[in-house]
Amino acid sequence: MSNSIEFNLFAPQNTQASLIGYFSQEREIPMEKTDDGYFRTSLELKDGIYQYKFRVKSNSPNHQDEWLDIIDPYATDVNEEKGYGIVRIKDGQRIVDDYIWQYDHVPLPENHQLVIYEMHVADFTGDESDPNKRGKYLGVIEKLDYLSDLGINAIELMPVNEYPGDYSWGYKVRHFWATESSYGSTKDLKRLIDECHSRGIRVFMDGIYNHTDEKCPLMLIDRNYWYYEYRHYPEDPDNYWGPEFNYNNYDEKLDIKPAWKYVGDVVQFWVSEYHLDGIRFDAVRQLANFEFLTWIAQKAQETAGSKPFFNIAEHIPDTSTVVKPDGPLDACWHESFHYFLVPHITGEQFDLEQLKPALDPKQQGYATATNVINYIATHDRQRLMRELGDRGIFDEDAFRRAKLAAVILMTTVGIPMLWMGEEFGEYQRKSEDVTQPKRINWSLLNNDQNQDLLDYYKKLIALRKETPALQSDNIEFFHENPAARILAYVRWSDQGSCVAVIINFSANNLSYYQIPQFPTAETWRDFFTNDEITITDGTLVTDLPSYEAKVFVS
């Protein structure tokens, strides 16, 4: 039985378009333009999978009045090599696939409870023997039990939209509605997200809404309708990554802002179709349109419904102006945490006036702990082990400092995020060429020191997730000794939990170190040894090994 299936192409300022369909044999079918800016045609099609593309008379400056074959900008599956989109018809309706969600009923953690893990699908899963899983969504599924055991309850996927070629970081998107084919199918991605949800793990997607690839279909249809004619910020050439969406352009005739319409459709599709739990908005400083960001964040949240959702900004340098209560998004990647913490871990400096605001973001204007995403490293920043190695710090000393960084990440104010492999001491240099794989070296876990670091992270993540004090907005620095490079702070919650952290940022082992006016509690115990400690006349006396932290819980 055949059903009428409509094909449409939004191209308001173009004069002619046709559908090229591979339905039984290749056919070119003229499309009729309507007053709402669409070219349309309908075909009688049986259930099945079909290939198609559009042929359009371009209105782009470099292709003015040329006939170009393009893939549908709304295609949910593409064959980039052959240049066509793929449409699936089932029960007379267009579908993305026939995946049936299994775990939508499982409760997911709230934003303040999160411990995030950033990953690149291909590099995270490079060690599988099965080629059907290596570098793919299915390979990530194989490692979800590892992440659960680590304590992760949210993963942040680097871009998974279809990009040019079979390997890159994905930050130049060509097809916004399609998932990257080298990673697997739409069903594979849905299964990954569903399997995450079954384990109580939320899934965030890296959203690239500032710019596109030069061969994005919108560029070929009518460049200046969706994009700035010239560079948005010509004075900042180092941060130009491709044609930039023009969120200021307004079509008076149709009463729409074209870039708003397209990206809004993209976001609503991904949140709805893939059951996403959050979006990390890339290059927010370059996008530079808070009105649009407010609108798109609301669209994403409305589409997600009542479940927890997180709208995260990547704004380098970080700024509280981009987050609530006054800004458009929920949280911001906290670059200053990385920027000021790493020199203290490497021993290059000790400056409390720089360090304390990074550990207490309220001093930087952030209202709540959920406003910042803290990290030691990301895909854009060198791993800590590389930072240490570049300074001649190796072996036991490096692992000791990595543990110190882990304590600070898990016990200060903000949502902690790990860059894949950081939890066991991956040390590869950051990729200088985003088209060359940098697969995780999982064999490092065969080494005792790497496994020990992983176990240390597991303990700290468990403490973070189980302790309301570490999920609160509260922090007080109760002891500072610049000469000895000692800093201590206490975290607490209204529920009564309390955590005190004492950090030795020096190369000296300090014996019988005295900390007066230690916070009061009914009892204190050492988190790592589980020994109860004694406070005499308000003073704690303790040993502080070089580049280590003591963690006490009440």
Side-chain angles (χ1 to χ4, degrees), residues 117-119 123-124 146-147 150 377 383-385 418-428 440-442 444-445 450 453-454 457:
Y117 195 89
E118 188 197 13
M119 71 166 67
D123 286 348
F124 180 68
Y146 164 85
L147 293 177
L150 175 58
R383 301 179 183 280
L384 180 59
M385 281 298 191
L418 293 173
W419 168 229
M420 59 181 190
E422 197 73 16
E423 72 276 11
F424 59 79
E426 175 62 272
Y427 58 85
Q428 290 186 78
I440 292 294
N441 184 5
W442 292 97
L444 288 173
L445 285 171
N450 296 90
L453 179 59
L454 176 65
Y457 261 103

Side-chain angles (χ1 to χ4, degrees), residues 39 45 73 104 106 131 171 229 235 255 260 274 309 347 364 424 508 540:
F39 290 90
L45 295 177
D104 281 345
V106 176
Y171 286 100
E229 183 175 359
E235 70 277 10
D255 189 27
W260 286 47
Y274 288 95
F309 199 83
Q364 299 173 323
F424 59 79
N508 301 316
L540 170 70

Side-chain angles (χ1 to χ4, degrees), residues 223-484:
R223 185 200 195 284
N224 294 346
Y225 190 67
W226 283 280
Y227 301 86
Y228 286 104
E229 183 175 359
Y230 304 106
R231 292 190 179 190
H232 192 190
Y233 287 105
E235 70 277 10
D236 190 17
D238 291 340
N239 287 310
Y240 177 81
W241 302 287
E244 297 161 308
F245 281 119
N246 182 353
Y247 291 107
N248 296 316
N249 185 37
Y250 174 64
D251 184 331
E252 292 185 7
K253 181 179 178 181
L254 297 179
D255 189 27
I256 62 167
K257 292 182 176 179
W260 286 47
K261 169 181 164 48
Y262 183 74
V263 175
D265 290 347
V266 167
V267 167
Q268 288 178 291
F269 168 77
W270 276 90
V271 174
S272 175
E273 186 71 27
Y274 288 95
H275 296 205
L276 293 178
D277 310 296
I279 296 174
R280 180 264 201 187
F281 291 81
D282 181 69
V284 165
R285 182 171 72 88
Q286 287 71 29
L287 192 150
N289 191 314
F290 278 17
E291 182 186 8
F292 166 74
L293 286 167
T294 299
W295 177 81
I296 199 69
Q298 290 173 347
K299 288 288 184 185
Q301 180 65 72
E302 289 168 4
T303 306
S306 60
K307 73 173 184 177
F309 199 83
F310 217 8
N311 287 303
I312 303 168
E314 186 232 21
H315 189 295
I316 307 295
D318 66 270
T319 172
S320 62
T321 61
V322 79
V323 299
K324 295 177 179 177
D326 300 319
L329 304 178
D330 301 317
C332 187
W333 268 25
H334 197 198
E335 177 71 6
S336 54
F337 180 90
H338 157 86
Y339 188 83
F340 291 116
L341 178 63
V342 169
H344 286 79
I345 299 297
T346 59
E348 293 171 278
Q349 71 176 69
F350 187 78
D351 185 340
L352 289 177
E353 298 311 307
Q354 290 185 337
L355 181 61
K356 289 196 299 181
L359 307 186
D360 177 14
K362 291 192 297 293
Q363 296 186 31
Q364 299 173 323
Y366 294 98
T368 71
T370 55
N371 281 160
V372 295
I373 310 295
N374 292 329
Y375 49 83
I376 301 164
T378 69
H379 67 273
D380 272 332
R381 300 291 175 253
Q382 294 288 10
R383 301 179 183 280
L384 180 59
M385 281 298 191
R386 171 59 58 175
E387 296 271 15
L388 293 167
D390 285 347
R391 292 160 178 79
I393 303 168
F394 300 104
D395 301 323
E396 183 180 347
D397 191 11
F399 280 95
R400 180 168 59 250
R401 298 188 196 213
K403 288 181 176 180
L404 172 59
V407 169
I408 298 170
L409 178 65
M410 293 299 161
T411 62
T412 47
V413 177
I415 306 299
M417 182 178 78
L418 293 173
W419 168 229
M420 59 181 190
E422 197 73 16
E423 72 276 11
F424 59 79
E426 175 62 272
Y427 58 85
Q428 290 186 78
R429 183 178 298 279
K430 180 177 80 72
S431 177
E432 300 300 329
D433 183 348
V434 298
T435 63
Q436 296 299 315
K438 282 278 187 177
R439 295 189 174 95
I440 292 294
N441 184 5
W442 292 97
S443 65
L444 288 173
L445 285 171
N446 295 325
N447 302 327
D448 290 343
Q449 286 181 314
N450 296 90
Q451 183 64 52
D452 181 57
L453 179 59
L454 176 65
D455 292 340
Y456 198 80
Y457 261 103
K458 288 180 182 179
K459 292 176 183 177
L460 286 168
I461 291 172
L463 175 67
R464 162 87 195 185
K465 290 166 62 180
E466 295 166 1
T467 309
L470 297 181
Q471 300 170 15
S472 75
D473 302 331
N474 305 319
I475 187 170
E476 180 183 345
F477 300 100
F478 64 88
H479 181 79
E480 302 172 16
N481 185 339

